[in-house]
Amino acid sequence: MNIQCLGGAGTVTGSCYLLTAGESRILIDCGMFQGSGEIEERNREPFAFAIDEIDAVVLTHAHIDHSGLIPKLCRDGFRGQVICTHSTAELCSILLPDSGHIQEVEAERRNRKKKGAKTARRIGPLYTEEDGRRALSRFLGIGYDEMYEVVPGVQVRLQDAGHVLGSAIIELWVEIEEGKTCKVVFSGDLGSRGQAIVKDPAWIAEADYVFIESTYGDRLHDHTTDRRQKLGSIVQRVQEEGGTIIIPSFSVGRTQEIIYELTELLEHGTIKPMPVFIDSPLAIEATRVFRHHEDVFDEESQEYIRRGMDPLALPGLVFVETREESQRLNRVTSGAMIISSSGMCEAGRIKHHLRHHIWRPKSHVVFVGYQAPGTLGRRIVDGARHVRIFGRDYKVAAHVHMIEGFSAHADRDGLLSWLSGFTKKPKKVIVVHGEPDVRKKFAQTIQEELDLDTVIPERFDTIELVMS
C-alpha cells in the first residue's frame, strides 16, 4: 500500500495523490498546475497512471488547483465517481465549464500569436467547456461526517476544512487485512480560524499518516480585526482623497468574504457607502451557490440570517455580468471598488482593470490571497516597477497592498494547532502543497515543536504506508 505524489509536491498547485491499495487505485484531488508557463505545461503531460485503473477520485474542494484536471481525466476515459461534498459538487458545476472556456480562449490566443510562422503547429485547448460540463455527471456529493465506501476495503469520511464553502479534510480507512486498517488523513487546504462565513476546520483525533498543506507554513497572518482595519483604512483613504480600489480576487470564497467584511465595516460606521462592482460572472454564480448552502455557514453568519439580514447583501453592491458592462467600468476613476478575477491576475477581466489603473498614483491594488511564482500578481506584490499587460509595458504607480489576513489558508500557527489536536500521534506527517523553502521550514518546525516525523516529498515520490 502506498501513495504517490503526482502534484502539490514541490509546488502549491496541481494537487494530486494516487493511493494504491491492493488492486484499488484512488486519486485524492486532480488539480491543475498554475503559475509560470513552465509549470503550467505540466497540465499537458499524459497522466502518470493508467486511467482505466482509477476506481474513484476523492476531491477536497472546488478550487481549480485541486479539481481542474478532472475534465481532462474524464475526457480521456475515467468512468468512476468523483466523491466530494454537496456544495463542492455545485461549485464545480460552474468552475469546471468556466475553466474549459478559459482553455479554449487561451488556445486561440496562442494560435493567433503563432499565425504566419511556417513551423507553427496549432495548439488545442487542454479541454473544452463542454468537457467541463460532461465531467459533472461523474460527481457524487455526500454530507460532512458521513461514512462512504469508495471501493471494498476503503472507506472515506469528509470533515469541514474551513477553507471555502464545501472544503473537506479527507479521512481514509484502508483495510490491510481482516480486522486491521490503516488510516490516512489529507488536510486539503485548511482554513484560518475565525474566517468569515465558513466554519472553523474540524479537529481530527487520530491517523497513521497525515498529509498536510504548508502554503503559509513559514509565516503568520493578520488577525481578523487587523485585516478588517487594514481594508477599512484603504477605503477611508480613497473616500477622502479619491482614486479607485482594484481587488484581484478568487471567485470562490475570497470574493464572498470581502463582501462580508465590507458589510461589517459599513455596519459599524467605519466606512461610508460606496459603489462596489463584482466584475466576474463566475464570482456572481459562486455567490448564488453560497446562498444555496447557508446551512453550513458559521455561527456568526447564521446569526445574521436569523436577524433577517443577508451577510452577502452589501448596500451599493453591483454585479457586472456582460462584457459591455465590464468595459463601462473603464470610465470609473474615483470613489469605487472593483473586485474581479482571477486572483493571481493571470486571466479574466482583472487584467483589463489593472491596465486602466496600475499607472494611476491615486489607485490602490489590494491583494488578498496567495500569489504563485511566475504570475502577474506575484510580480506586482514583489515590487515590480513596470509590468507587461496584453503586450504593453505599464509603470506601477498605484499603491500596492497585501492583506494576508484574508487568506483562506491557515498560517503556521494555525497548521501547528490543527496538527497538535491529534490525540494519537501519526507515524509520519507528509508536508505538501507549499513552496520548497516553506515546506522545509515548516517540516522542521513540526519536528521541533510537536516531535513528529516528517517527510518532504518531491513530485512522483512514493510514500510507503506500513503498519507496525
Side-chain angles (χ1 to χ4, degrees):
M1 185 171 65
N2 61 64
I3 294 176
Q4 188 178 21
C5 302
L6 303 176
T11 61
V12 174
T13 63
S15 178
C16 186
Y17 309 94
L18 174 61
L19 167 69
T20 298
E23 299 298 314
S24 299
R25 305 285 185 274
I26 298 167
L27 287 183
I28 309 300
D29 288 345
C30 189
M32 188 179 289
F33 289 96
Q34 297 172 310
S36 67
E38 181 182 352
I39 289 289
E40 291 191 352
E41 279 303 309
R42 293 181 183 180
N43 296 316
R44 293 186 173 272
E45 296 173 2
F47 288 110
F49 47 78
I51 295 172
D52 60 357
E53 292 182 1
I54 302 298
D55 297 294
V57 177
V58 184
L59 179 60
T60 57
H61 65 286
H63 281 159
I64 291 298
D65 63 320
H66 292 256
S67 70
L69 289 188
I70 291 175
K72 179 186 174 187
L73 184 75
C74 294
R75 182 201 61 197
D76 292 354
F78 173 67
R79 295 294 178 266
Q81 291 179 323
V82 178
I83 300 155
C84 58
T85 65
H86 296 293
S87 36
T88 291
E90 190 169 354
L91 285 171
C92 282
S93 74
I94 58 173
L95 280 167
L96 296 184
D98 179 77
S99 176
H101 173 71
I102 290 171
Q103 300 308 312
E104 292 181 82
V105 170
E106 180 61 18
E108 187 56 37
R109 185 190 67 79
R110 291 172 69 177
N111 287 325
R112 278 200 308 271
K113 285 180 69 174
K114 290 188 173 187
K115 195 174 181 180
K118 291 182 180 179
T119 58
R121 187 164 60 92
R122 186 169 177 81
I123 299 169
L126 185 62
Y127 56 84
T128 66
E129 183 175 351
E130 183 56 31
D131 290 330
R133 294 191 195 287
R134 288 193 184 118
L136 301 175
S137 66
R138 313 309 315 170
F139 278 69
L140 172 69
I142 64 174
Y144 283 127
D145 207 29
E146 176 184 330
M147 294 294 289
Y148 182 81
E149 188 175 60
V150 183
V151 294
V154 179
Q155 290 195 311
V156 67
R157 182 168 65 190
L158 305 180
Q159 303 281 14
D160 202 327
H163 175 61
V164 294
L165 187 75
S167 60
I169 299 162
I170 294 173
E171 297 179 279
L172 271 174
W173 288 266
V174 184
E175 188 175 354
I176 308 299
E177 55 189 66
E178 191 171 345
K180 291 187 71 174
T181 60
C182 177
K183 184 182 179 184
V184 185
V185 169
F186 292 84
S187 73
D189 286 359
L190 282 176
S192 300
R193 295 193 172 273
Q195 190 176 310
I197 303 174
V198 296
K199 294 178 180 178
D200 289 345
W203 299 103
I204 307 297
E206 58 182 39
D208 295 300
Y209 295 86
V210 176
F211 284 71
I212 187 168
E213 69 122 321
S214 58
T215 311
Y216 288 100
D218 66 340
R219 70 198 83 170
L220 302 178
H221 294 330
D222 299 323
H223 292 296
T224 302
T225 51
D226 293 335
R227 74 187 185 196
R228 190 175 295 163
Q229 288 171 358
K230 287 184 178 181
L231 180 62
S233 66
I234 295 168
V235 174
Q236 286 173 342
R237 182 172 175 181
V238 166
Q239 291 182 329
E240 291 169 3
E241 301 175 2
T244 302
I245 301 169
I246 307 296
I247 302 185
S249 181
F250 301 97
S251 298
V252 176
R254 208 66 42 82
T255 294
Q256 294 74 29
E257 188 174 2
I258 294 166
I259 296 171
Y260 181 96
E261 294 294 353
L262 289 170
T263 302
E264 286 279 291
L265 288 166
L266 196 59
E267 181 96 349
H268 290 90
T270 307
I271 62 173
K272 301 171 186 174
M274 71 185 300
V276 177
F277 299 96
I278 306 296
D279 188 19
S280 166
L282 188 62
I284 295 166
E285 286 299 313
T287 303
R288 290 170 182 152
V289 172
F290 268 64
R291 289 192 174 115
H292 296 166
H293 295 275
E294 292 174 348
D295 57 309
V296 295
F297 283 10
D298 65 8
E299 182 57 36
E300 192 175 8
S301 301
Q302 293 281 5
E303 179 59 27
Y304 264 103
I305 294 165
R306 283 193 289 270
R307 287 160 51 197
M309 299 169 62
D310 185 343
L312 297 175
L314 173 72
L317 189 66
V318 180
F319 290 118
V320 179
E321 304 214 33
T322 69
R323 184 178 299 175
E324 292 71 27
E325 290 171 331
S326 178
Q327 289 170 346
R328 284 199 288 272
L329 293 182
N330 295 338
R331 304 172 197 161
V332 176
T333 58
S334 189
M337 177 185 292
I338 299 172
I339 304 171
S340 188
S341 58
S342 67
M344 297 185 196
C345 309
E346 283 297 282
R349 297 177 181 181
I350 189 61
K351 295 180 76 172
H352 294 277
H353 297 306
L354 288 174
R355 180 163 63 99
H356 283 279
H357 290 275
I358 197 84
W359 52 271
R360 297 179 187 269
K362 283 194 172 183
S363 291
H364 294 254
V365 181
V366 182
F367 290 91
V368 292
Y370 177 79
Q371 304 298 308
T375 61
L376 174 58
R378 182 63 168 262
R379 290 193 291 276
I380 296 172
V381 166
D382 285 348
R385 301 185 68 175
H386 292 82
V387 291
R388 195 165 183 82
I389 304 173
F390 296 128
R392 181 178 170 185
D393 286 329
Y394 292 87
K395 181 181 178 180
V396 180
H399 302 273
V400 177
H401 310 266
M402 180 70 182
I403 308 180
E404 288 190 349
F406 276 105
S407 174
H409 291 267
D411 63 9
R412 183 198 66 201
D413 286 358
L415 294 169
L416 285 174
S417 174
W418 182 78
L419 266 181
S420 68
F422 283 83
T423 54
K424 175 188 173 184
K425 268 191 177 183
K427 297 177 189 298
K428 288 190 185 300
V429 175
I430 299 91
V431 181
V432 295
H433 201 283
E435 292 178 26
D437 288 347
V438 177
R439 288 198 303 153
K440 185 176 179 181
K441 289 178 185 175
F442 185 53
Q444 185 176 348
T445 303
I446 293 171
Q447 290 172 329
E448 291 172 353
E449 297 198 15
L450 301 180
D451 191 29
L452 294 171
D453 288 336
T454 60
V455 178
I456 310 173
E458 296 303 322
R459 192 181 180 210
F460 301 124
D461 282 357
T462 296
I463 309 297
E464 297 291 339
L465 306 180
V466 180
M467 293 300 296
S468 55

